[in-house]
């Protein structure tokens, strides 16, 4: 593994189903992030984690949950998917997060294209 | 509220120079990032400005004026591979990134 990987690459999901998007980094970064990107809008932060064992809510957290059991993995779960969650989801990581008093450069995974029907 | 404004789309000619502007209104300011994103790919880091002035990095330069809430990305000697979206992001008082919608740059031969 080099950098950040995400799985799956794309997924079509029926509304109401549960789905977990996976994200793994091998850079030993402390901070990790989940964004969604929709046409005409900027990247919007869903959840973040400044260090293993802690998580925080971003701008659009409703309908999503995350966990950070270790440094490398940061899965994003949609408990009951709805069509408005159709989007491209990017995971990112940085050496330090907001708890360090500054934000380092964020490095992004390749993204997961999710369609909820 | 927090707002980042960039032009939606720009067109330029191969070999020319283009300036992509970004204006922002955020709750606090701790720095400004520019990222490049090719269609269907992840954003990749281009530059970071925290002090006023120009930062030059090869064919790309980024300028910041904190008093005006303004930045620009300058691309010189444009190449076809520079066709991409350019994202402006401001680090607010909570050290979270607020992202603009991006500027799609089309390069014509």
């Amino acid at each position: 593994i080099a950098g950040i990987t995400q799985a799956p690459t794309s997924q079509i999901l029926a509304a109401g189903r549960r789905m977990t998007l996976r994200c793994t980094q091998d850079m030993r970064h402390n901070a990790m992030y989940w964004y969604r990107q929709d046409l005409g809008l900027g990247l919007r932060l869903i959840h973040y984690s400044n260090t293993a064992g802690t998580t925080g809510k971003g701008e659009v957290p409703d309908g999503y949950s995350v966990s950070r059991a270790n440094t490398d993995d940061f899965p994003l779960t949609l408990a009951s998917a709805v069509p408005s969650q159709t989007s491209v989801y990017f995971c990112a990581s940085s050496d330090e997060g907001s708890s360090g008093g500054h934000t380092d450069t964020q490095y992004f995974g390749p993204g997961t294209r999710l369609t909820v029907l | 509220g927090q707002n980042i404004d960039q032009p939606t789309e720009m067109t330029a000619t191969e070999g020319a120079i283009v300036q992509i502007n970004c204006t922002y209104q955020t709750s606090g300011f701790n720095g400004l990032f520019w990222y490049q994103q090719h269609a269907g790919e992840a954003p990749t880091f281009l530059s970071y400005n925290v002090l006023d002035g120009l930062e030059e990095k090869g064919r790309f330069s980024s300028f910041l004026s904190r008093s005006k809430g303004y930045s620009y990305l300058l691309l010189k000697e444009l190449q076809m591979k520079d066709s991409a979206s350019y994202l402006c992001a401001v680090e607010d008082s909570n050290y979270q990134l607020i992202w603009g919608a991006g500027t799609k740059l089309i390069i014509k031969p």
Side-chain angles (χ1 to χ4, degrees), chain A residues 1-116:
Chain A
I1 297 177
I4 304 181
T5 58
Q6 292 184 235
T9 301
S10 65
Q11 182 75 45
I12 299 174
L13 189 66
R17 297 296 295 270
R18 181 184 178 89
M19 176 74 191
T20 296
L21 308 185
R22 300 185 297 279
C23 175
T24 300
Q25 54 104 358
D26 67 353
M27 297 178 284
R28 307 304 294 173
H29 282 170
N30 285 309
M32 296 187 75
Y33 313 85
W34 274 106
Y35 290 95
R36 59 178 290 172
Q37 187 174 41
D38 302 290
L39 196 64
L41 299 176
L43 288 161
R44 291 183 291 169
L45 183 65
I46 304 170
H47 286 285
Y48 66 94
S49 168
N50 284 328
T51 189
T54 70
T55 62
K57 293 182 179 181
E59 179 186 356
V60 290
D62 293 344
Y64 306 95
S65 63
V66 292
S67 61
R68 187 87 184 278
N70 57 60
T71 298
D72 298 345
D73 301 299
F74 191 43
L76 176 74
T77 297
L78 289 68
S80 179
V82 295
S84 62
Q85 292 177 312
T86 294
S87 187
V88 180
Y89 290 86
F90 286 103
C91 179
S93 72
S94 65
D95 192 21
E96 295 290 339
S98 56
S99 63
H102 66 280
T103 302
D104 289 319
T105 300
Q106 294 186 15
Y107 298 89
F108 285 79
T112 294
R113 184 174 297 274
L114 182 67
T115 302
V116 182

Side-chain angles (χ1 to χ4, degrees), chain B residues 4-102:
Chain B
I4 311 286
D5 283 320
Q6 308 178 231
T8 302
E9 186 175 295
M10 298 181 71
T11 301
T13 304
E14 189 177 16
I17 299 173
V18 70
Q19 177 175 311
I20 301 174
N21 296 324
C22 171
T23 58
Y24 61 88
Q25 292 177 306
T26 56
S27 56
F29 178 87
N30 283 304
L32 186 144
F33 291 83
W34 284 96
Y35 278 74
Q36 181 189 59
Q37 185 178 24
H38 285 100
E41 297 183 7
T44 56
F45 170 76
L46 284 178
S47 68
Y48 174 65
N49 294 70
V50 65
L51 299 176
D52 288 351
L54 189 68
E55 294 277 346
E56 296 186 79
K57 195 184 286 187
R59 293 189 300 114
F60 292 8
S61 303
S62 55
F63 171 84
L64 174 67
S65 170
R66 289 173 297 173
S67 62
K68 295 182 179 179
Y70 169 70
S71 173
Y72 68 73
L73 181 69
L74 193 69
L75 291 73
K76 302 176 185 176
E77 301 170 14
L78 286 170
Q79 301 175 10
M80 297 304 293
K81 67 178 182 180
D82 297 330
S83 292
S85 288
Y86 292 86
L87 314 181
C88 173
V90 171
E91 192 173 17
D92 70 8
S93 56
N94 294 317
Y95 300 98
Q96 299 288 355
L97 287 184
I98 309 301
W99 294 81

